[in-house]
C-alpha cells in the first residue's frame, strides 16, 4: 500500500519562547493534535485527500487560538473578513473565497465554490450571496469575539498600523492555518484559511486564497499551504514556485520547498513558511522564522507536533 500522510500548520513567525507559557503551549499543541488526528483518521479510513484537508482545516478554524474562522482578527471597522482556498491535485480543480463574514468554516465554502459553481474564486458580496443560496448559517459577531484579539485591535485602531497576528511584537506572527495530504490512492490536496491582518483596510487580500501563491496542489509535483508575509508570497508565487522547481528542475519536495523558503522569498524581503507533501507521501515543512505551529503524521510512522525549530 502507498504511504499516506498529512501535514498541518497554524501560522509562522516570531514565536518567542519567553512569551509562551507552558499552559498556552499545551493548548496550541492540543489544538494541532486534534486537527492532525482527525485528518489522518480520514486518510486511514480510505477517504480522499480533499476530505482530509478540509476536515483538518475546519477544526483549526473552530479554535480561537489561530487566526482563521473563530479566531479571526479584527479589521479597521471592527469586523472580520476571512479568506480560504482548497485545491485537488488529481483534477487541478480549485475553489477560493475572500472577504467573507459570518461564515464559521470558510474552507467549506471554498470547497463548495470548487464543486458547486462554475468558478474558482468568489469574493465579498458575491461570495456571501453564493453562501446564502447554499443555506449557510451566518454566525453573529459574538461567535468571532475574542478578548485577546479585540485588545490587540484596540491598541492600534484609528492608526495606519496593522499587524499580522497576536504576538506582542508587531508583524511578528502570520496567522493562517492550512493542511496538505496524500491519500491511499496517491492523490494530494491542499487547503488554507485565514482571518487576515489586525486593523486591515480597503479589502486587503493576502496570499491564502490565491491559487499558486498561498495554496496549490498538483499530483505531478506537490500540495502546498503557505503562511507568511502575504504580499511577498503573492509576488513570489510561492506555492507554484515550489511545484515548478520539482517539475522543471527535478528537485525533491524537500529541496524545492527549502530553496523557496530559505532563499527565494528571503531575497525579496519576505518571511514565513510552508507545508508540502508529494504524491509518495513525503512531507516538507520549512520556515525561516523562529517558529511555525505545525504537525505531521504518516502511515510510515512519522508523527509529530511542533512549534519551534
Amino acid at each position: 500500500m502507498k504511504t499516506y500522510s498529512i501535514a498541518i500548520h497554524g501560522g509562522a513567525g516570531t514565536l518567542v519562547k519567553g512569551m509562551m507559557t507552558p499552559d498556552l503551549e499545551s493548548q496550541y499543541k492540543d489544538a494541532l493534535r486534534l486537527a492532525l488526528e482527525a485528518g489522518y483518521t480520514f486518510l486511514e479510513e480510505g477517504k480522499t485527500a480533499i476530505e482530509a484537508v478540509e476536515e483538518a482545516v475546519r477544526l483549526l478554524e473552530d479554535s480561537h487560538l489561530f487566526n482563521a474562522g473563530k479566531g479571526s482578527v479584527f479589521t479597521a471597522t471592527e469586523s472580520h473578513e476571512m479568506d480560504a482556498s482548497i485545491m485537488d491535485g488529481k483534477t487541478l480543480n480549485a475553489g477560493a473565497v475572500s472577504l467573507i463574514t459570518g461564515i464559521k468554516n470558510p474552507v467549506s465554502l471554498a470547497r463548495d465554490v470548487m464543486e458547486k459553481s462554475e468558478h474558482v474564486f468568489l469574493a465579498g458580496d458575491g461570495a456571501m450571496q453564493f453562501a446564502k443560496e447554499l443555506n449557510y448559517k451566518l454566525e453573529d459577531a459574538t461567535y468571532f469575539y475574542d478578548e485577546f484579539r479585540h485588545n490587540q485591535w484596540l491598541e492600534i485602531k484609528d492608526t495606519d498600523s496593522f499587524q499580522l497576528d497576536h504576538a506582542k511584537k508587531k508583524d511578528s506572527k502570520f496567522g493562517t492555518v492550512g493542511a496538505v495530504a496524500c491519500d491511499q490512492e496517491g492523490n494530494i490536496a491542499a487547503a488554507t484559511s485565514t482571518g487576515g491582518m489586525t486593523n486591515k483596510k480597503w479589502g486587503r487580500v493576502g496570499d491564502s486564497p490565491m491559487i499558486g501563491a498561498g495554496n496549490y496542489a498538483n499530483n505531478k509535483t506537490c500540495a502546498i499551504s503557505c503562511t507568511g508575509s502575504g504580499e511577498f508570497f503573492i509576488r513570489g508565487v510561492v506555492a507554484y514556485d515550489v511545484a515548478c522547481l520539482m517539475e522543471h528542475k527535478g528537485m525533491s519536495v524537500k529541496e524545492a520547498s527549502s530553496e523557496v523558503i530559505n532563499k527565494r522569498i528571503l531575497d525579496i524581503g519576505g518571511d514565513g513558511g510552508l507545508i508540502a507533501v508529494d504524491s509518495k507521501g513525503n512531507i516538507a515543512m520549512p520556515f525561516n522564522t523562529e517558529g511555525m505551529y505545525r504537525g505531521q503524521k504518516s502511515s510510515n510512522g512519522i508523527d509529530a507536533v511542533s512549534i519551534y525549530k
Side-chain angles (χ1 to χ4, degrees):
M1 190 163 61
K2 291 180 178 171
T3 300
Y4 52 92
S5 55
I6 184 167
I8 62 169
H9 72 76
T14 311
L15 314 175
V16 185
K17 270 190 176 167
M19 286 172 50
M20 179 74 79
T21 64
D23 177 51
L24 194 56
E25 187 168 330
S26 71
Q27 281 183 50
Y28 273 107
K29 285 186 170 172
D30 288 349
L32 289 166
R33 174 61 65 188
L34 182 73
L36 187 67
E37 294 294 344
Y40 186 77
T41 299
F42 270 35
L43 298 175
E44 213 169 26
E45 291 170 351
K47 289 181 177 165
T48 64
I50 277 285
E51 290 172 302
V53 295
E54 182 193 10
E55 178 66 8
V57 169
R58 278 175 65 95
L59 286 164
L60 293 167
E61 288 174 338
D62 290 345
S63 168
H64 70 95
L65 294 169
F66 306 104
N67 178 14
K70 186 175 177 62
S72 294
V73 296
F74 286 86
T75 67
T77 58
E78 203 176 356
S79 62
H80 303 277
E81 288 180 347
M82 298 169 285
D83 309 328
S85 59
I86 194 165
M87 187 163 184
D88 185 343
K90 181 183 178 182
T91 60
L92 300 190
N93 287 338
V97 290
S98 187
L99 306 173
I100 60 170
T101 56
I103 302 290
K104 185 181 177 187
N105 294 112
V107 71
S108 295
L109 186 59
R111 184 176 173 187
D112 279 334
V113 171
M114 175 173 77
E115 295 179 348
K116 297 175 182 174
S117 83
E118 299 295 303
H119 309 297
V120 170
F121 201 154
L122 298 181
D125 293 343
M128 295 305 295
Q129 184 62 36
F130 178 69
K132 199 173 168 185
E133 286 175 18
L134 293 179
N135 296 315
Y136 268 72
K137 175 182 178 244
L138 293 190
E139 304 291 340
D140 62 30
T142 56
Y143 174 79
F144 299 96
Y145 180 85
D146 179 79
E147 190 177 10
F148 189 91
R149 298 281 193 220
H150 195 246
N151 288 340
Q152 221 183 336
W153 173 72
L154 288 174
E155 281 175 29
I156 56 172
K157 69 176 266 208
D158 302 327
T159 72
D160 286 330
S161 299
F162 57 84
Q163 65 189 55
L164 282 160
D165 199 12
H166 59 227
K168 286 185 182 128
K169 277 176 69 180
K170 294 223 185 343
D171 297 353
S172 57
K173 181 178 164 296
F174 311 119
T176 320
V177 303
V180 295
C182 174
D183 62 29
Q184 291 186 27
E185 302 294 313
N187 295 316
I188 59 178
T192 309
S193 181
T194 184
M197 333 173 129
T198 300
N199 209 40
K200 72 170 185 167
K201 301 175 187 173
W202 314 304
R204 178 262 183 188
V205 179
D207 64 307
S208 298
M210 292 190 192
I211 302 304
N215 199 77
Y216 187 70
N218 185 337
N219 276 9
K220 287 183 190 168
T221 52
C222 59
I224 302 265
S225 174
C226 299
T227 171
S229 39
E231 276 65 19
F232 294 94
F233 277 61
I234 294 167
R235 284 157 50 192
V237 202
V238 166
Y240 186 64
D241 203 19
V242 175
C244 271
L245 288 172
M246 291 178 69
E247 186 172 359
H248 301 299
K249 283 201 163 184
M251 288 186 178
S252 69
V253 67
K254 281 207 157 106
E255 291 166 341
S257 50
S258 178
E259 164 74 14
V260 171
I261 290 300
N262 295 315
K263 185 172 189 304
R264 293 180 176 225
I265 198 75
L266 287 175
D267 286 349
I268 61 169
D271 54 358
L274 61 82
I275 53 172
V277 69
D278 66 17
S279 54
K280 294 193 177 90
N282 298 308
I283 292 169
M285 300 194 292
F287 55 97
N288 57 35
T289 50
E290 280 183 41
M292 179 168 76
Y293 296 111
R294 63 199 187 279
Q296 58 178 326
K297 189 163 183 173
S298 173
S299 59
N300 65 11
I302 292 168
D303 186 2
V305 166
S306 321
I307 297 177
Y308 304 103
K309 290 231 176 191

